[in-house]
Amino acid sequence: MTKDFPKDYITAAINEPIRKHENFKPIQVLTSPKGETILDFGQNLVGWVKVAIQGKAGEQIKLSHVEMLDKKGVPYFENLRSAKAQATYTLSGNGIEILEPHFTFFGFRYVKVEGLSGKINPNDFTAIALYSDMKQTGTFECSNPLVNQLQSNIQWGQKGNFLDVPTDCPQRDERLGWTGDAEVFSRTAAYNFNVNQFFSKWLIDVTADQNKNGSVPFVIPNTLKGTSFDMPVGAAGWSDASIIIPYNMYVSYGDREIVERQYPSMKAYLNYVRGAAKKDLWNTGFQFADWLSYRADDSQGMIGMKSAITDNYLVAQCFYAYNTEIMIKAAALLGKTDEVQEYQALLERIKKAFQAEYMTASGKLISETQTAYILALQFDMFPEDLRLQAVERLVKNIESYEYHLTTGFLGTPFLNPVLSRFGRNDVAYKLLLQDTYPSWLYPIKAHGATTIWERWDSMKPDGTFQDPGMTSFNHYAYGAVRDWIYRTVAGIDTKEAEGAGYKEIIIKPELGGNLTYAKGSLETNYGLVSSSWKIENSKLILDVEIPANTNATIVFPTNKVETIKENDLIVNEKSKIVGSGKYHFEMQM
């Protein structure tokens, strides 16, 4: 029987297909205390294992996929929740059989193998990484091997969670397109890979699932319909992806069309927030707030330190300002002069409401947390004359935690940028290079992590695990620090407005952390941008490459302006505007 279906809702796919990429062979074959045979592929990845095996007809081979082994060496399945994460094959007995799945994928580093008789041959197994066919565009390397591993972990976190949809995690019974994770990571994602089409397609899905009142679901596509999370409300930092990501794609690629297409959706969401706010104060409704910030009872890593819990609505008010600021820029980009003025007036009222509700006259916030001060500084919620005291409060807080971060999903992306903006690059570098819990490098140094974790202590310092109900070892949100690494350590950035998409480039590396060299590159729509610096005998050497049809402002990382030379010619300027080409500078520290 033939039956007609409506076709008017079908659109062509505009993003890259999911393809097979890297292959991995086991780096070792392990035997657990329970006698289980385990293959270690050396990298937490997303994909499947291809098997080339020979056996008798009817024999079954079972592969069980996990991310971690416990401290005794036993596969850790609990964090998968109800997911089986298994592939079972029944052999035909017809010689060597090549077996692999086609309609699923797994998140794993380790595979438990059952059903094989005799000694296992690791060469019979190949792990294949799957992700959207995004072109890698960004590279970074420095003199600190732990930071280089962090760079790798951030990229692998993106690979494992960018399979057509930006998922929060790939291994457990979830794999949802959580908007908050995508929002905080979107700028970093655009350094790592060319995600212009990837996000362009996903933002169309955002518009399609947007509620009639303008609110945006917490996951896109909205598979939470009919659950307790299916609420026609918006949450700061999550639903805001509908505004933040389109503009980030414009800044990264100069793609005005994304903003133009998404503008009605962006405006509808801001109007929803305006309706939810009372007298310009967004202090109603459900909020995730600074999700998974430091809790004192989470680990034994910082005994005596208090939890870092930021008021939900303080966070929401800061993001209300963030959204409005972007809408001012978007409206200006599209020539909507009346709306620019409307949003500028709104932004001023939002900041005044914040100051009246959450700040004392001396500039102390009701939440004495890193995230509270970071967000308020990032979005200029303080009057200008109270900003430096706020920076001092932030630094003292960081010092009280012995230079450990305590931020969650929404505070972390802005932590180092705020410190650098206000002249505390020294503190930003200390946080980057901290290697005990909680920190970016703790999972790497203590537990050999090869991806970013969902929690700062998904595996605790004592080798036990966090709550298995929500403990992912491939969860890219905290990898948003790479945005700061690119823009500050390597020093590669773009101007906004007419210079977006690296039409007008900024090269401004800021040295610190006892690094002796750092280099980064980015393949833009105009060609390759690169910045490489190294210290030799108290002399700084800076090499820069600028692509055709662009210009760059190079800001030299020294105060000894009189020592700056370009190919032995004295520059004698703190900054220099250059066109396309390769440039070599030397200067004293």
Side-chain angles (χ1 to χ4, degrees):
M1 181 177 67
T2 303
K3 188 174 182 179
D4 289 331
F5 289 90
K7 303 179 182 65
D8 57 346
Y9 61 87
I10 298 176
T11 59
I14 61 172
N15 60 325
E16 296 81 359
I18 298 170
R19 297 194 189 280
K20 300 178 183 179
H21 292 275
E22 296 90 343
N23 290 349
F24 294 86
K25 287 293 185 181
I27 61 172
Q28 56 183 334
V29 180
L30 306 171
T31 302
S32 79
K34 296 181 179 181
E36 301 158 307
T37 299
I38 304 162
L39 302 176
D40 176 6
F41 288 96
Q43 172 66 52
N44 192 344
L45 62 105
V46 172
W48 58 57
V49 174
K50 181 171 72 174
V51 180
I53 205 77
Q54 185 172 0
K56 297 178 181 178
E59 283 187 337
Q60 283 195 334
I61 308 301
K62 182 185 291 185
L63 307 180
S64 300
H65 304 73
V66 296
E67 295 183 288
M68 296 289 283
L69 308 179
D70 67 19
K71 57 185 178 181
K72 295 180 180 179
V74 176
Y76 181 65
F77 290 101
E78 284 79 0
N79 72 315
L80 301 179
R81 303 194 302 212
S82 65
K84 297 296 183 183
Q86 292 178 341
T88 303
Y89 302 110
T90 302
L91 303 183
S92 68
N94 296 324
I96 296 177
E97 301 178 58
I98 309 297
L99 306 169
E100 59 182 318
H102 294 281
F103 300 109
T104 190
F105 58 83
F106 308 101
F108 66 98
R109 171 176 172 169
Y110 303 94
V111 172
K112 183 175 76 170
V113 181
E114 299 174 272
L116 283 179
S117 56
K119 188 176 181 179
I120 196 169
N121 182 359
N123 289 326
D124 293 340
F125 300 84
T126 304
I128 301 172
L130 300 175
Y131 49 91
S132 287
D133 202 18
M134 312 167 290
K135 178 184 178 183
Q136 182 174 337
T137 49
T139 67
F140 175 83
E141 182 184 321
C142 71
S143 56
N144 188 306
L146 290 177
V147 175
N148 292 338
Q149 184 61 51
L150 175 64
Q151 155 81 357
S152 174
N153 292 10
I154 292 168
Q155 288 191 318
W156 274 102
Q158 182 173 349
K159 290 176 181 179
N161 283 289
F162 275 46
L163 282 78
D164 200 58
V165 171
T167 55
D168 63 327
C169 60
Q171 71 296 102
R172 65 190 181 214
D173 58 348
E174 188 170 350
R175 304 178 180 186
L176 299 177
W178 282 93
T179 49
D181 303 66
E183 177 266 304
V184 300
F185 192 74
S186 56
R187 187 72 188 269
T188 294
Y191 286 118
N192 290 336
F193 297 91
N194 188 327
V195 293
N196 195 34
Q197 293 301 99
F198 180 91
F199 274 122
S200 182
K201 175 264 181 187
W202 187 71
L203 288 167
I204 293 173
D205 296 342
V206 169
T207 302
D209 273 343
Q210 191 165 14
N211 295 310
K212 291 181 179 180
N213 67 352
S215 63
V216 173
F218 306 143
V219 303
I220 302 292
N222 186 15
T223 58
L224 296 180
K225 289 181 179 178
T227 73
S228 59
F229 276 101
D230 183 23
M231 300 177 282
V233 298
W238 270 253
S239 304
D240 304 357
S242 58
I243 289 178
I244 297 168
I245 295 180
Y247 191 73
N248 276 349
M249 292 305 101
Y250 167 71
V251 172
S252 298
Y253 300 105
D255 190 350
R256 183 179 183 275
E257 190 271 338
I258 286 184
V259 176
E260 190 168 21
R261 189 193 68 216
Q262 294 299 130
Y263 191 81
S265 169
M266 298 163 70
K267 184 176 179 179
Y269 175 67
L270 185 64
N271 284 340
Y272 160 78
V273 177
R274 295 175 74 173
K278 307 301 179 186
K279 296 183 179 179
D280 303 307
L281 194 67
W282 191 12
N283 60 355
T284 61
F286 172 82
Q287 296 291 341
F288 290 100
D290 194 29
W291 188 249
L292 297 184
S293 60
Y294 174 74
R295 299 294 194 274
D297 57 352
D298 279 354
S299 286
Q300 302 302 312
M302 295 203 300
I303 296 174
M305 300 298 185
K306 62 181 180 179
S307 296
I309 301 173
T310 308
D311 183 89
N312 286 10
Y313 296 122
L314 182 155
V315 173
Q317 189 71 2
C318 288
F319 272 80
Y320 188 10
Y322 185 18
N323 293 328
T324 305
E325 183 179 10
I326 290 177
M327 291 302 293
I328 292 169
K329 296 175 181 178
L333 177 66
L334 301 179
K336 299 179 182 295
T337 307
D338 291 345
E339 292 182 14
V340 170
Q341 295 175 351
E342 176 188 348
Y343 295 143
Q344 285 174 335
L346 173 62
L347 182 58
E348 288 303 309
R349 297 198 303 271
I350 291 169
K351 291 180 180 180
K352 288 180 180 178
F354 175 91
Q355 293 162 11
E357 186 76 5
Y358 302 113
M359 191 183 79
T360 67
S362 64
K364 182 178 180 179
L365 299 179
I366 65 166
S367 295
E368 287 281 281
T369 64
Q370 292 172 21
T371 289
Y373 285 98
I374 290 161
L375 296 182
L377 286 164
Q378 173 69 22
F379 305 125
D380 296 331
M381 308 302 280
F382 291 100
E384 193 166 351
D385 63 338
L386 290 178
R387 291 174 189 172
L388 290 184
Q389 65 83 32
V391 175
E392 291 177 9
R393 292 179 190 273
L394 171 60
V395 171
K396 286 181 180 178
N397 183 288
I398 294 169
E399 290 172 347
S400 75
Y401 286 95
E402 300 175 357
Y403 291 97
H404 292 84
L405 50 74
T406 61
T407 50
F409 275 31
L410 299 188
T412 298
F414 304 110
L415 173 54
N416 283 13
V418 162
L419 289 166
S420 292
R421 172 188 170 189
F422 288 97
R424 296 312 306 264
N425 216 42
D426 57 327
V427 180
Y429 266 104
K430 284 184 179 181
L431 289 170
L432 175 67
L433 300 179
Q434 176 63 257
D435 59 15
T436 58
Y437 167 79
S439 69
W440 284 288
L441 299 185
Y442 156 72
I444 297 169
K445 186 170 183 179
H447 300 296
T450 61
T451 42
I452 300 298
W453 293 356
E454 180 174 18
R455 297 172 179 264
W456 297 117
D457 63 340
S458 288
M459 178 176 268
K460 299 180 182 182
D462 64 3
T464 60
F465 294 100
Q466 252 290 358
D467 175 10
M470 200 173 69
T471 300
S472 161
F473 294 93
N474 193 351
H475 218 95
Y476 57 78
Y478 288 136
V481 68
R482 195 182 181 207
D483 180 30
W484 176 83
I485 291 173
Y486 254 93
R487 291 205 245 179
T488 305
V489 182
I492 300 173
D493 202 355
T494 180
K495 293 184 179 180
E496 295 185 25
E498 295 303 316
Y502 301 88
K503 177 67 175 175
E504 296 184 30
I505 299 163
I506 301 168
I507 302 293
K508 188 183 178 183
E510 298 189 35
L511 284 55
N514 293 321
L515 298 184
T516 57
Y517 80 87
K519 55 184 179 181
S521 68
L522 180 64
E523 188 68 44
T524 74
N525 289 334
Y526 299 97
L528 186 70
V529 177
S530 68
S531 170
S532 174
W533 60 263
K534 62 181 177 180
I535 299 171
E536 290 183 350
N537 301 320
S538 298
K539 181 173 69 175
L540 177 69
I541 299 170
L542 175 64
D543 289 291
V544 175
E545 181 174 355
I546 306 300
N549 298 315
T550 68
N551 62 65
T553 301
I554 302 175
V555 182
F556 299 105
T558 180
N559 290 321
K560 298 180 179 180
V561 177
E562 70 280 0
T563 70
I564 303 171
K565 294 182 180 181
E566 179 185 355
N567 297 325
D568 294 328
L569 297 177
I570 299 295
V571 174
N572 204 28
E573 294 178 293
K574 178 63 177 177
S575 63
K576 181 180 176 70
I577 298 175
V578 302
S580 60
K582 296 182 179 180
Y583 301 89
H584 177 82
F585 303 96
E586 296 184 8
M587 64 207 77
Q588 295 297 315
M589 298 289 294

